[in-house]
Amino acid sequence: MNKDRFLLVFVFLIVVIASVGIIAYFSQNAVESIRQTTIDRRNADVDNLSIIIKEANPHLVNKAISTNYLGMHSLVAILDSNGNVITSTNNTILNNISLKKLDIFKQAINGEMGSKIETIGGTKMFVSYHAIQMPTTTWALLVIRPYDDSFSAYETAKSQVIVTVVLVTLLVTIFGLYVTRAYNSINDLAKKLDIAIKELIQADKEKGEFASMVSHDLRTPAVVIKSYTGMLLDPKIYGSLNEDQEKAVQAISNSTQKLETLIDDIFDAYKLEMKSLKLEKEDIDISNFIQQTIFELTPLCVKKGVSITTNIKVKGSVSCDSKRISQVISNLIKNSLDFVPTKGGQITIGVEKDENSNAVFTISDNGPGVPQEHVEHLFKKFYQVGKISSKQYGGSGLGLSICSLLVQAHGGKIWLDTSYTEGASFKFTLPDNKLEQI
Ligand SMILES: Nc1ncnc2c1ncn2[C@@H]1O[C@H](COP(=O)(O)OP(=O)(O)O)[C@@H](O)[C@H]1O
Ligand SMILES: [Mg+2]
C-alpha cells in the first residue's frame, strides 16, 4: 500500500469513526433523556400520590388513585405494615401474585422509596415504591407497570438510533468505497500517464538523436559530392568538360545544394520545436548587416536577373543572433526569387521602426503574391501553396515555418502583409533595438 492510499484509508476510517461516534453520542443522550424523563415523571407522580394519601381520608384515596394518571395505567396499591391491602386499583397486571411477598413492599415498609426495573411473575416491570409515614404506622405505596408499557417511547427511540447509526455507517462505508475506487482509478490513470510521458520523453530523445545522426550522415556525402562537383566544374583541376557534361555536373551541384538546404531545414525545425536551439545574440549594426546579407545573395539574384533594392529608414543596432536573422531574410529572399519574373524581377528589403519601437523588416517582391485562401496557413510546417509550385521550385514547405520559429525565439512576429497588392510582402519584427529614425 503506498503512502497516499494509506493516508486515504486512514482519513476514511477517521471520518467513519467520527461520524458514527458523533451520531451515537447525541442520539444516546437524547434517548437517555427520554428514559430519565419517564422515570422522573413516574417518581414525581408516585411522590404526589403519597402526599395525597398521607393527607387525605383513606376512603378518598381510592378515588384519587383511580383518577390519577398512574392509577389509570398501572397497578397502584396501598398496603399497611402487615401487608394487608388497604386499597388498590382493579388491575390484573400481577395475576394474583401476593403484593406483600414482593421485595419492594419490604423496602417501602423499611421507609425506602425509589423505582427500578424488576421481573415479577416472568414479566419485566417498572416498579415504584414509597413509604407513607402515618401517625402510628407506616404504609407502603406500590406502583407497578409493565416495562414495555412504560418505556415504549424509550425503546422506539433506541431502535431508531440503532437503525440510524447502522444506516449512516453503511452510507459512509459505501461513500468511502466509492471514493477509494475513484482514487484507485485516478491513481492507475496517473501511473499510465506517467509511463506514457516517460515513453514520450524517451521517444523524443531518440528522435533528437536520430535527427542529428541523419543530418550528420546525410550532410557528409553531400559535402563530398559538392566539393567534387566544384572540382569537376573547375577546368584547372580536371580539364574542361564538354557542354553536356557541364550541364550534368551543374545539375548535380544544384541538387546537392538543395539537399544540403533541406537537411539544414529539417534539423533546424527539429531544434526549434524542441526549443534546444541556442541563440547567440549580439548588437549588430543594421546597415552593415543588410548589406552583408544582400552581398551573400547577389550571385543568385544576378543569375536570375533580379535586382535587389533597400529602403532602410533607421540607423543604429539590433540585438539578435545575426546568423539566424540572416537565415530568415535569406529564406524570404529565396522565396521571392522563386516567384519573381526572370527578367524584371524586383525585390526590396526595408527596415523601419514601428510605434512600439520594434525594428520592422519588410521583404517585398513583384511576383504573383499569395492567394488569399492560403495566407493563414503559410507559416505551418510543410505547408505549400499547391503541389505544382513545390515541384516547380523544389521547396519542402519548411522555410516559412522556420522563419516564424526563429523570429518568435527572438520575441518578434512574422506575417504576410495582405495590404500589399503588387506581389508578396513579408514583414517581421524584432524587439530589443537601439535604432533611430533617419
Ligand atoms: N514571395 C512569395 N511569393 C509567392 N508565394 C510565396 C512566396 N513566399 C512563399 N510563398 C508560398 O508559400 C509557400 C511556403 O513557403 P516555404 O515555407 O518557404 O516553403 P517552400 O519554399 O519550401 O515551398 C511556398 O510553397 C509558396 O507557394
Ligand atoms: Mg521557401
Side-chain angles (χ1 to χ4, degrees), residues 265 331-332 335-340 363 365 367-371 378-380 382-386 389-390 393-402 416 423-426:
D265 281 357
N331 260 336
L332 295 173
N335 275 352
S336 288
L337 279 171
D338 282 341
F339 287 93
V340 290
I363 287 91
D365 63 48
V370 180
L378 273 186
F379 297 95
K380 290 178 186 164
F382 301 113
Y383 189 84
Q384 290 183 305
V385 179
S389 94
S390 66
Y393 304 109
S396 63
L398 276 172
L400 286 179
S401 70
I402 291 172
L416 178 82
S425 178
F426 285 87

Side-chain angles (χ1 to χ4, degrees), residues 134-146:
M134 299 307 279
T136 54
T137 180
T138 303
W139 286 358
L141 167 63
L142 304 181
V143 180
I144 301 167
R145 194 176 181 195

Side-chain angles (χ1 to χ4, degrees), residues 32-50:
E32 190 47 43
S33 78
I34 294 174
R35 198 179 82 91
Q36 201 48 53
T37 315
T38 313
I39 294 171
D40 290 349
R41 228 176 67 199
R42 295 284 172 278
N43 286 346
D45 286 345
V46 174
D47 229 24
N48 288 338
L49 198 57
S50 73

Side-chain angles (χ1 to χ4, degrees), residues 416-427:
L416 178 82
D417 180 3
T418 45
S419 64
Y420 187 82
T421 49
E422 283 143 51
S425 178
F426 285 87
K427 285 178 177 282

Side-chain angles (χ1 to χ4, degrees), residues 293 296-297 325-335 337:
T293 309
E296 283 165 16
L297 290 162
I325 295 303
S326 171
Q327 185 182 349
V328 173
I329 296 174
S330 302
N331 260 336
L332 295 173
I333 291 180
K334 281 179 190 162
N335 275 352
L337 279 171

Side-chain angles (χ1 to χ4, degrees), residues 2-298:
N2 66 27
K3 214 175 115 202
D4 285 351
R5 196 168 297 186
F6 177 76
L7 198 73
L8 186 82
V9 171
F10 181 70
V11 171
F12 169 62
L13 281 177
I14 295 285
V15 170
V16 173
I17 293 167
S19 45
V20 170
I22 290 167
I23 291 169
Y25 174 75
F26 284 111
S27 311
Q28 169 67 23
N29 277 358
V31 170
E32 190 47 43
S33 78
I34 294 174
R35 198 179 82 91
Q36 201 48 53
T37 315
T38 313
I39 294 171
D40 290 349
R41 228 176 67 199
R42 295 284 172 278
N43 286 346
D45 286 345
V46 174
D47 229 24
N48 288 338
L49 198 57
S50 73
I51 294 164
I52 296 169
I53 294 163
K54 201 172 164 184
E55 301 294 322
N57 230 329
H59 68 267
L60 292 176
V61 169
N62 199 11
K63 198 173 170 202
I65 290 172
S66 49
T67 53
N68 181 286
Y69 170 81
L70 287 171
M72 289 187 283
H73 295 87
S74 326
L75 163 59
V76 182
I78 300 166
L79 285 78
D80 66 16
S81 55
N82 296 321
N84 300 318
V85 176
I86 298 167
T87 186
S88 129
T89 52
N90 247 348
N91 204 309
T92 52
I93 290 172
L94 282 192
N95 295 327
N96 297 330
I97 288 175
S98 168
L99 288 170
K100 66 176 176 189
K101 287 189 181 151
L102 297 177
D103 283 348
I104 50 172
F105 164 69
K106 288 162 201 157
Q107 282 175 287
I109 291 302
N110 285 340
E112 292 173 29
M113 54 188 263
S115 54
K116 59 182 174 183
I117 294 153
E118 208 171 72
T119 306
I120 303 171
T123 315
K124 206 171 162 191
M125 301 287 185
F126 177 61
V127 295
S128 301
Y129 49 98
H130 204 294
I132 303 169
Q133 297 301 337
M134 299 307 279
T136 54
T137 180
T138 303
W139 286 358
L141 167 63
L142 304 181
V143 180
I144 301 167
R145 194 176 181 195
Y147 174 87
D148 292 346
D149 214 17
S150 298
F151 289 93
S152 58
Y154 164 70
E155 287 301 330
T156 313
K158 202 165 93 178
S159 44
Q160 279 170 357
V161 166
I162 291 167
V163 170
T164 310
V165 170
V166 168
L167 270 179
V168 169
T169 313
L170 218 79
L171 281 176
V172 175
T173 309
I174 290 169
F175 177 71
L177 288 176
Y178 180 76
V179 171
T180 313
R181 253 186 66 185
Y183 171 83
N184 283 344
S185 60
I186 290 172
N187 213 22
D188 287 350
L189 272 178
K191 272 186 202 148
K192 280 182 196 157
L193 203 67
D194 204 41
I195 293 169
I197 289 170
K198 278 188 187 132
E199 281 173 2
L200 268 178
I201 292 171
Q202 182 58 26
D204 244 359
K205 212 176 131 211
E206 282 164 13
K207 200 169 113 190
E209 284 159 6
F210 179 72
S212 78
M213 187 198 80
V214 166
S215 132
H216 175 263
D217 288 3
L218 286 178
R219 204 192 305 264
T220 314
V223 168
V224 175
I225 298 169
K226 203 172 130 187
S227 49
Y228 274 104
T229 47
M231 283 158 73
L232 279 171
L233 287 169
D234 184 348
K236 280 181 255 154
I237 300 174
Y238 294 117
S240 307
L241 303 174
N242 68 33
E243 203 180 326
D244 287 344
Q245 286 169 333
E246 195 179 324
K247 266 190 196 164
V249 177
Q250 192 61 56
I252 295 171
S253 172
N254 291 346
S255 295
T256 312
Q257 181 58 50
K258 280 181 189 162
L259 185 66
E260 246 190 337
T261 311
L262 182 63
I263 295 165
D264 287 344
D265 281 357
I266 290 173
F267 199 47
D268 279 353
Y270 173 77
K271 278 195 289 188
L272 282 162
E273 201 177 306
M274 289 294 108
K275 306 222 181 322
S276 63
L277 185 111
K278 297 264 174 300
L279 293 179
E280 284 163 24
K281 280 192 182 182
E282 57 187 328
D283 281 347
I284 52 155
D285 180 78
I286 199 73
S287 174
N288 288 345
F289 172 66
I290 298 290
Q291 294 310 329
Q292 180 61 30
T293 309
I294 291 177
F295 179 72
E296 283 165 16
L297 290 162
T298 303

